[in-house]
Amino acid sequence: MKQARFGLLLFLFLLIPPVAHLLESIMIIHMHMQMPLLVIAGFLMAPFFQKRFPRLFENWNHAGIPGILLVTIVWLYWMIPRTMDDALTVQSVEAFKFFSLPFLVGVPLRDSWKKIGLTVKKIIFIGFTILFFGMGILYIKVPVQLCNNYLLIEQITLGWGFVTMAICIVIYLWYFVFMDHSKYE
Amino acid sequence: MSTATSKSLKEKANQVMGVNLKDAKLAKSYMAVAFIALLLGGILGLLQGFERAGLIQLPYWFNYYQVLTAHGLLLVVVLTAFFTIGYFYAGLSHCLGGLLPKVRKMAWIGFWMKIVGLVIAIIPVLLNKASVMYTFYPPLAAAPSFYIGLALIVLGIWVCAFGAFINVASWRKVNKGKHLPIFAFFATAVFILLFFGSIGVTIEVLILIAWSFGWIPTVNVMVSRTLFWAFGHTLVNIWYLTAVSAWYVVVPKIIGGRRFSDALTRIVIILLVIMNIPGGFHHQIVDPGMSQALKFLHVFMSLSISFPSLMTAFAMFYVFERTGRKLGGKGLFGWLRKLPWGDVRFLAPMIAMIAFIPAGAGGIAQTTNQLNQVVHNTMWVVGHFHLTVGTSVILTFFGISYWLIPHISNRVLTPRMNKVGVIQTIIWTIGMLFMSGSMHAVGLLGSPRRTSYSTYGDNATALGWDPYLIFVAVGGTFLIIGVLIQVFAVFHMMFFAPKGVTEFPIADPEVPVEKTPMWTERWGLWIVIMLVVISMGYVIPLVELIVNAPPGSPPFKTW
Ligand code: HEM
Ligand SMILES: [Cu+2]
């Protein structure tokens, strides 16, 4: 429950208008910091909901697949450049961002991650890695400005951010797949 | 139970066999170079102090900027690198049951690469062809051999880092399921930072080699500075982590106590590794080319490093109070008097820790944009790092030398040498109080750093700096006495002290021993998280500075 409290605190902190404004003023920080932090806030708050509504999770997310599907769909939605623009210009979309990322991504992610099997995890990891590389190359190569609110240079920066994240995931996967941990632990 | 007996067995074995002689020779060589660098660098420091005070004027064939370049290089690169590597290799040998022959060979190869690199780099400095200071910011251009020497030094360090990784991995294979001994845990963290922190600067140096040869006409100055500070800042934290390793692991043993919670210690180390490298931006707060919002965000990055530092302060005082009370200290502060103040192995690191309180506070102030604009490139900054590196880190190194050198030399610390050490520590403290204190003050009054003596045409403000600068020279005089005593002590302990066995002091963790979670050993994971943090920190400025690059700069020799 301590975790849930930290999660709530983080969520409230991110809600403070100047904080939100600062984080949204740089494109890559918007997508690669504010959004993941919202997800993390939800992830931390998850135990509270799991305890409060055990039936809900039992009924709707028995094997974890619906949850992870929800996570993927909502997260994919927020990777579309257009949605960031919308969040900045349309109040209700901004509200939806602050609701959807913690509660429709963070919470179900935590509930599902323990339930899904290794294969699904692998699919998720590899899928997101390919997606990150793809998005990265897209953002770096596209010669036009995709967002009204962000300049071309910020888009390129975001592209490199995606590529470096993808590289980090690959290193992580390599570390887990190729290193024989039983030799050490 | 089984661990307890095996530990005492190991201790006995250590006492019988003493130190592994081949590993000891390696460590002694590293220490000898470190303290020779201290001697040379200290003498140059004194010359600078006297020049800045207007007491002497350095001749044209050995001018202020040559001296300053050599002083910086000898003390912040040579002394610290050789000490750190020698110290951790001695510790790895001690707590992993000796170095692997292969690893020992790597450490020797690294040693000679660094020595050759140093010679190659220092020659152009002596010839006045590389007065670019130890930061070698372009567009100031040194002779190519200066950069080639630096590159060799870095490669030598990498060889040592990989040697350490190999030794640690092999230990873990043999000791499956066990925690890495705490000292080796520190060593692993330091070598990870040394390797990853120096990748950027290596790229920079390679480009500068081509640039100084004229193979490429121009260089991107801002990118160079960014790559330099990704390394420079990390280097600072490597020294800090090295000093901290002695504070957590060694000092409690010396005062007869137990060390702080094993799990929390490891978490502090992991945090320092993960959050470190992007902190480099606080050295570029007034640099152009980065948005205000980005700089503001980096303040958080910088300040987040102070969290593990504050945890360290808490942990140390907790250990001191507990030990002092166990020894019979009463009342609010009575335990302080029970601590072994007369033991240099405690006194030196203790003063180092106390110095870190104002030093850390100054650092937190400097990392704020507005305050940084007041002190940037003034003598304040020089005062700051003589307090952090020149006192907190170096005094800890000195304190270490009084048991490490006897340990690796199979000799003992005599009560007389202990007294010499106590006097040395006091002299150093007084010297730094004068020098660093007046540097801080005169910096606030506007006196610039890296500038030889000038009255600026008898300008009143500049004349007002003079009294403070005299105190810099006074402090420097104390310090050179301290340097001479310290170097004497080191070589005396290495070759002339009475024979005997000195232990490598590693404190036992507190009882009852709580279980340290096994996930602390997941170094691969910490490295990946560190890389994520680095890329979050560096992608924005690097893309901006490269894609929107200004025209590059040709090499300049302004001196
Ligand atoms: C005998 C003791 C020492 C004396 C008298 C001394 C004195 C000085 C002086 C006067 C400066 C020049 C300030 C300027 O014009 O900018 C300086 C710079 C510096 N000192 Fe020391 N120092 C001593 C020891 C140390 C130690 C132990 C370290 C680090 C381990 C150190 C690291 C540096 C560095 C990095 C610089 C800056 C060089 C640069 O700006 O390029 N010094 N020192
Ligand atoms: Cu720094």
Side-chain angles (χ1 to χ4, degrees):
Chain A
M1 276 304 110
K2 210 159 141 199
Q3 267 193 25
R5 228 167 277 157
F6 276 123
L8 181 64
L9 218 64
L10 177 60
F11 182 56
L12 292 176
F13 176 73
L14 293 170
L15 274 176
I16 301 171
V19 175
H21 184 76
L22 177 71
L23 296 181
E24 285 161 5
S25 68
I26 300 172
M27 189 178 192
I28 185 172
I29 302 269
H30 189 174
M31 194 186 273
H32 280 181
M33 201 139 133
Q34 189 196 47
M35 292 189 187
L37 281 175
L38 284 169
V39 173
I40 291 171
F43 195 86
L44 292 175
M45 284 189 279
F48 171 79
F49 294 101
Q50 283 167 322
K51 233 177 235 161
R52 208 60 200 275
F53 311 105
R55 294 280 304 284
L56 180 83
F57 287 99
E58 182 59 28
N59 287 343
W60 290 89
N61 198 24
H62 182 65
I65 300 295
I68 210 74
L69 218 58
L70 183 66
V71 168
T72 314
I73 291 168
V74 177
W75 210 332
L76 281 181
Y77 171 76
W78 285 113
M79 277 189 200
I80 304 170
R82 168 71 198 268
T83 57
M84 282 207 288
D85 247 356
D86 285 348
L88 292 178
T89 33
V90 184
Q91 229 13 230
S92 55
V93 177
E94 175 81 345
F96 176 62
K97 183 177 82 186
F98 276 92
F99 169 75
S100 63
L101 285 169
F103 303 111
L104 300 184
V105 178
V107 174
L109 179 63
R110 182 150 189 178
D111 191 60
S112 296
W113 199 250
K114 283 215 190 96
K115 297 178 180 171
I116 55 176
L118 198 63
T119 337
V120 182
K121 277 185 193 166
K122 274 186 196 158
I123 293 172
I124 295 286
F125 255 119
I126 294 173
F128 268 91
T129 313
I130 295 171
L131 186 73
F132 274 29
F133 271 120
M135 294 296 275
I137 292 165
L138 179 78
Y139 277 118
I140 294 170
K141 288 285 171 199
V142 164
V144 292
Q145 194 178 327
L146 295 174
C147 283
N148 276 328
N149 286 291
Y150 296 112
L151 299 174
L152 192 59
I153 178 81
E154 295 205 63
Q155 213 166 284
I156 298 172
T157 309
L158 181 58
W160 282 109
F162 267 119
V163 170
T164 49
M165 285 303 139
I167 293 172
C168 288
I169 304 179
V170 169
I171 296 175
Y172 183 73
L173 289 177
W174 175 79
Y175 170 66
F176 266 95
V177 175
F178 290 100
M179 288 262 297
D180 183 1
H181 290 272
S182 61
K183 268 203 256 171
Y184 298 100
E185 280 174 5
Chain B
M1 207 39 231
S2 71
T3 52
T5 43
S6 75
K7 177 163 262 157
S8 63
L9 235 171
K10 205 178 116 205
E11 267 172 13
K12 266 185 211 134
N14 253 324
Q15 264 166 15
V16 177
M17 298 190 299
V19 58
N20 177 322
L21 288 179
K22 285 183 186 159
D23 297 349
K25 193 170 158 212
L26 177 78
K28 272 192 280 188
S29 310
Y30 271 93
M31 289 295 149
V33 175
F35 284 98
I36 291 171
L38 173 71
L39 178 63
L40 299 177
I43 295 170
L44 298 177
L46 183 72
L47 292 179
Q48 280 156 217
F50 274 48
E51 154 101 28
R52 289 246 18 178
L55 298 175
I56 59 168
Q57 191 174 13
L58 287 164
Y60 72 92
W61 46 266
F62 196 52
N63 65 50
Y64 189 75
Y65 302 96
Q66 271 173 289
V67 173
L68 192 57
T69 305
H71 176 79
L73 213 56
L74 283 171
L75 290 172
V76 301
V77 180
V78 182
L79 164 62
T80 57
F82 276 83
F83 188 94
T84 302
I85 294 174
Y87 164 72
F88 278 120
Y89 263 84
L92 286 176
S93 161
H94 172 76
C95 60
L96 302 185
L99 299 175
L100 303 173
K102 176 171 59 172
V103 171
R104 194 181 308 123
K105 194 178 277 170
M106 288 174 78
W108 276 115
I109 294 173
F111 178 85
W112 286 111
M113 284 172 79
K114 274 174 287 189
I115 295 282
V116 171
L118 175 65
V119 171
I120 295 178
I122 213 85
I123 289 172
V125 176
L126 296 177
L127 297 176
N128 200 15
K129 284 185 176 159
S131 299
V132 292
M133 319 300 137
Y134 80 100
T135 45
F136 54 88
Y137 295 142
L140 288 186
S145 66
F146 179 77
Y147 304 112
I148 294 173
L150 293 184
L152 263 178
I153 294 179
V154 175
L155 292 180
I157 292 175
W158 286 5
V159 174
C160 294
F162 279 96
F165 298 151
I166 291 171
N167 219 338
V168 166
S170 122
W171 185 91
R172 288 183 59 191
K173 259 184 213 164
V174 179
N175 296 273
K176 228 189 257 183
K178 277 199 204 150
H179 282 286
L180 200 57
I182 185 75
F183 192 87
F185 200 85
F186 269 107
T188 310
V190 161
F191 284 112
I192 286 176
L193 281 180
L194 266 174
F195 174 66
F196 285 98
S198 55
I199 294 177
V201 81
T202 310
I203 297 172
E204 183 203 350
V205 167
L206 293 178
I207 293 171
L208 292 184
I209 291 175
W211 175 68
S212 63
F213 270 121
W215 300 336
I216 51 173
T218 62
V219 70
N220 187 325
V221 171
M222 290 301 307
V223 172
S224 302
R225 290 171 64 88
T226 308
L227 294 178
F228 178 83
W229 279 114
F231 162 74
H233 171 75
T234 308
L235 189 60
V236 171
N237 280 268
I238 287 167
W239 308 328
Y240 174 66
L241 203 53
T242 309
V244 164
S245 74
W247 301 352
Y248 270 110
V249 181
V250 174
V251 173
K253 176 83 174 184
I254 285 167
I255 64 176
R258 285 171 175 275
R259 63 187 167 84
F260 188 65
S261 149
D262 188 64
L264 282 176
T265 309
R266 288 173 199 252
I267 290 170
V268 165
I269 300 171
I270 293 168
L271 284 176
L272 282 171
V273 168
I274 289 175
M275 300 195 295
N276 205 301
I277 298 179
F281 282 96
H282 60 210
H283 299 268
Q284 294 176 276
I285 293 175
V286 301
D287 275 18
M290 290 170 222
S291 73
Q292 206 77 4
L294 180 63
K295 285 177 180 173
F296 186 70
L297 286 169
H298 267 292
V299 173
F300 283 96
M301 198 67 236
S302 229
L303 289 180
S304 62
I305 302 172
S306 55
F307 172 69
S309 309
L310 289 175
M311 263 181 83
T312 302
F314 167 78
M316 293 333 295
F317 280 95
Y318 168 85
V319 168
F320 292 155
E321 180 173 356
R322 278 194 70 146
T323 311
R325 288 199 189 285
K326 206 179 71 190
L327 295 174
K330 297 246 158 18
L332 200 52
F333 292 112
W335 51 272
L336 266 174
R337 246 181 297 148
K338 292 287 173 190
L339 297 174
W341 294 98
D343 185 341
V344 62
R345 299 168 311 160
F346 168 73
L347 181 70
M350 182 65 178
I351 293 181
M353 283 180 234
I354 294 171
F356 201 70
I357 298 170
I364 289 176
Q366 269 162 224
T367 204
T368 327
N369 197 335
Q370 288 85 342
L371 296 180
N372 190 275
Q373 296 186 19
V374 177
V375 298
H376 188 74
N377 269 343
T378 69
M379 284 296 271
W380 162 284
V381 174
V382 186
H384 170 71
F385 60 68
H386 280 96
L387 202 55
T388 48
V389 192
T391 312
S392 287
V393 172
I394 291 295
L395 263 186
T396 305
F397 287 4
F398 291 174
I400 291 170
S401 73
Y402 287 96
W403 54 263
L404 181 61
I405 306 272
H407 169 76
I408 54 180
S409 313
N410 270 323
R411 290 172 195 276
V412 291
L413 173 67
T414 58
R416 271 180 69 191
M417 188 50 86
N418 179 55
K419 200 167 279 170
V420 170
V422 170
I423 294 169
Q424 197 282 340
T425 307
I426 293 170
I427 291 179
W428 193 270
T429 310
I430 296 172
M432 275 302 176
L433 275 177
F434 274 117
M435 189 171 97
S436 168
S438 51
M439 280 173 166
H440 274 96
V442 77
L444 288 180
L445 299 176
S447 177
R449 73 182 280 207
R450 295 181 156 179
T451 310
S452 69
Y453 183 72
S454 168
T455 59
Y456 299 88
D458 283 346
N459 175 291
T461 305
L463 288 178
W465 300 333
D466 277 357
Y468 296 91
L469 293 171
I470 294 286
F471 274 108
V472 171
V474 171
T477 310
F478 274 101
L479 288 170
I480 196 69
I481 298 171
V483 166
L484 292 174
I485 299 176
Q486 176 64 29
V487 173
F488 159 77
V490 164
F491 286 100
H492 189 274
M493 286 186 289
M494 205 179 270
F495 298 113
F496 304 111
K499 292 258 177 201
V501 176
T502 301
E503 70 159 346
F504 194 108
I506 290 187
D508 292 328
E510 282 180 324
V511 273
V513 191
E514 88 276 33
K515 195 139 171 39
T516 305
M518 214 51 214
W519 52 255
T520 51
E521 299 289 329
R522 292 263 164 86
W523 278 108
L525 181 60
W526 310 136
I527 291 177
V528 171
I529 297 180
M530 177 188 80
L531 291 176
V532 169
V533 174
I534 295 175
S535 49
M536 293 217 295
Y538 279 98
V539 152
I540 303 176
L542 282 182
V543 170
E544 164 76 31
L545 295 172
I546 293 172
V547 175
N548 283 344
S553 174
F556 283 98
K557 187 170 180 244
T558 53
W559 64 92

